């Protein structure tokens, strides 16, 4: 199995999980329906830009999009832009062979649609500066991306489960406030993809919890303590993420109540019996982390309410 950065113990775990991956992959192919980005872009609104075509330069007043929606789409687009690095990371972690390899490639196929569609929509509608978007894309991709959990299969699996759920919720919440039917339809399709990706990973994580309960709980605690967006190194990331928090698209409240708590609850971490000392210690640490996350969410909600 080609996974040079993965420890020998985790190579064994990947092998044990492969039948589950194969079944989850079958389910994914049965439920996934391909869609076409060009059908969700209002091309009739487009016109030439300055440059070789000698069209109209972009200016801020051309875009009718709300600034919170634009910031969120730019953040998500920057996240999508680093797909080549993500593909490398999960191929190294989960392998390029067998059912794992088929999944890695299929996931990449589907994720590639998202960046294409969002960028085309923003460019055609002149909702964002195309030069700034290209400059940010170039800088972000040149920086690249590497996992915070390199070589740790279980932590990587926890991370992608949480991240896919977070991304689905983000797109769903942008859709709710975007106020434009074509944009809403596009974001609905992207969110559907992200949800199926989350379900795939969560099913594998459930199996890992049965096979390696103590290590999986430790991985949960590790990732909950250190989770950050894959776009954390992107240009303008602090401002874009703060804008998303203020608008309610993705805030500490969202992260705790709609991402962390539901995944931990679904895995029944605090109902599980038979953990050894290490597992109990990790579960206690996870409980402390979740209480901290809940407190942060309450503080943020209180701050927002007091500012209204």
């Amino acid at each position: 199995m080609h996974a040079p950065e993965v420890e020998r113990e985790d190579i064994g775990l990947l092998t044990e999980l492969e039948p589950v991956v194969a079944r989850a992959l079958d389910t994914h192919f049965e439920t996934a329906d391909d869609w076409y980005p060009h059908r969700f872009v209002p091309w009739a609104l487009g016109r030439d830009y300055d440059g070789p075509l000698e069209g109209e330069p972009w200016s801020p007043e051309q875009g009718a999009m709300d600034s919170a929606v634009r910031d969120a789409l730019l953040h998500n687009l920057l996240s999508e832009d680093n797909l080549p690095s993500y593909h490398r990371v999960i191929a190294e972690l989960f392998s390029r062979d067998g059912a794992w390899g088929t999944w890695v490639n299929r996931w990449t196929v589907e994720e590639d649609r998202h960046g294409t569609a969002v960028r085309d929509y923003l460019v055609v509608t002149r909702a964002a500066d195309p030069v700034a978007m290209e400059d940010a894309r170039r800088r972000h991709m040149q920086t690249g991306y590497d996992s915070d959990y390199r070589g740790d299969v279980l932590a990587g699996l926890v991370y992608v489960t949480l991240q896919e759920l977070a991304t689905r919720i983000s797109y769903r919440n942008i859709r709710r406030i975007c106020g434009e039917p074509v944009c809403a339809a596009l974001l609905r399709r992207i969110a559907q993809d992200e949800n199926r990706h989350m379900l795939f990973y969560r099913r594998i994580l459930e199996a890992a919890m049965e096979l390696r309960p103590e290590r999986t709980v430790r991985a949960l605690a590790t990732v909950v303590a250190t989770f950050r967006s894959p776009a954390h190194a992107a240009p303008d990331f602090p401002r874009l993420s703060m804008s998303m928090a203020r608008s309610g698209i993705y805030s500490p409240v969202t992260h705790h109540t709609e991402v962390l708590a539901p995944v931990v609850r679904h895995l029944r971490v605090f109902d599980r019996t038979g953990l050894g000392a290490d597992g109990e210690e990790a579960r206690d640490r996870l409980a402390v982390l979740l209480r901290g996350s809940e407190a942060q969410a309450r503080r943020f909600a209180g701050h927002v309410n007091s500012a209204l």
Side-chain angles (χ1 to χ4, degrees):
M1 184 171 286
H2 185 75
E5 302 296 332
V6 176
E7 298 293 335
R8 182 177 298 276
E9 180 182 358
D10 277 351
I11 292 176
L13 177 60
L14 288 171
T15 302
E16 288 183 78
L17 287 171
E18 183 145 7
V20 183
V21 175
R23 291 193 293 273
L25 191 59
D26 287 342
T27 299
H28 184 81
F29 279 120
E30 290 166 4
T31 59
D33 54 335
D34 284 324
W35 55 278
Y36 301 91
H38 72 277
R39 294 178 175 174
F40 293 85
V41 178
W43 300 105
L45 298 180
R47 58 191 187 275
D48 292 343
Y49 283 92
D50 56 328
L53 297 179
E54 300 181 349
E56 183 181 0
W58 181 85
S59 59
E61 67 274 8
Q62 292 171 352
M65 183 175 284
D66 179 84
S67 61
V69 175
R70 181 175 59 250
D71 286 347
L73 287 177
L74 289 174
H75 168 276
N76 284 17
L77 179 58
L78 283 167
S79 297
E80 305 283 5
D81 276 337
N82 250 338
L83 183 60
S85 287
Y86 305 150
H87 176 90
R88 172 185 53 78
V89 165
I90 64 171
E92 289 176 351
L93 188 64
F94 297 139
S95 120
R96 297 195 299 268
D97 302 325
W100 281 112
T102 301
W103 167 254
V104 167
N105 289 339
R106 175 66 185 191
W107 176 88
T108 304
V109 166
E110 295 180 5
E111 287 289 335
D112 191 46
R113 288 192 294 229
H114 304 166
T116 296
V118 171
R119 184 176 300 278
D120 284 350
Y121 183 90
L122 291 173
V123 170
V124 167
T125 61
R126 293 185 174 242
D129 182 350
V131 173
M133 282 196 296
E134 175 59 16
D135 287 346
R137 184 197 69 84
R138 174 173 43 80
R139 288 168 56 197
H140 191 36
M141 290 188 70
Q142 185 64 52
T143 300
Y145 172 81
D146 206 353
S147 172
D148 291 326
Y149 316 105
R150 189 177 182 87
D152 187 336
V153 165
L154 286 173
L157 189 56
V158 170
Y159 180 80
V160 293
T161 304
L162 295 174
Q163 175 57 31
E164 294 287 358
L165 178 55
T167 307
R168 184 202 83 186
I169 290 167
S170 171
Y171 278 118
R172 180 202 68 190
N173 289 343
I174 302 170
R175 173 176 173 263
R176 285 177 175 175
I177 69 171
C178 73
E180 203 286 305
V182 175
C183 184
L186 168 60
L187 298 179
R188 180 174 179 270
R189 291 312 308 253
I190 295 176
Q192 287 173 340
D193 280 356
E194 303 289 6
N195 189 56
R196 281 189 284 263
H197 298 166
M198 181 277 293
L199 292 173
F200 177 92
Y201 284 126
R202 193 179 68 182
R203 183 172 179 182
I204 312 308
L205 187 57
E206 291 170 358
M209 181 66 87
E210 297 303 317
L211 291 170
R212 303 285 194 282
E214 295 202 0
R215 283 197 59 207
T216 305
V217 175
R218 288 203 303 271
L220 278 163
T222 296
V223 177
V224 168
T226 57
F227 184 93
R228 56 182 179 170
S229 167
H232 63 267
D236 210 21
F237 172 77
R239 185 190 68 80
L240 295 174
S241 58
M242 182 55 67
S243 174
M244 293 174 72
R246 286 196 303 265
S247 66
I249 290 171
Y250 200 89
S251 73
V253 178
T254 318
H255 187 62
H256 177 77
T257 62
E258 299 190 58
V259 178
L260 298 185
V263 169
V264 171
R265 186 166 54 246
H266 183 85
L267 295 171
R268 301 177 63 249
V269 173
F270 295 106
D271 298 330
R272 186 168 294 275
T273 60
L275 292 177
D278 287 347
E280 293 288 359
E281 186 276 333
R283 184 159 59 181
D284 290 344
R285 184 157 48 94
L286 180 60
V288 170
L289 290 166
L290 290 174
R291 288 195 294 271
S293 174
E294 184 179 20
Q296 183 183 15
R298 284 199 305 269
R299 287 194 300 271
F300 181 85
H303 175 74
V304 169
N305 290 335
S306 66
L308 295 178

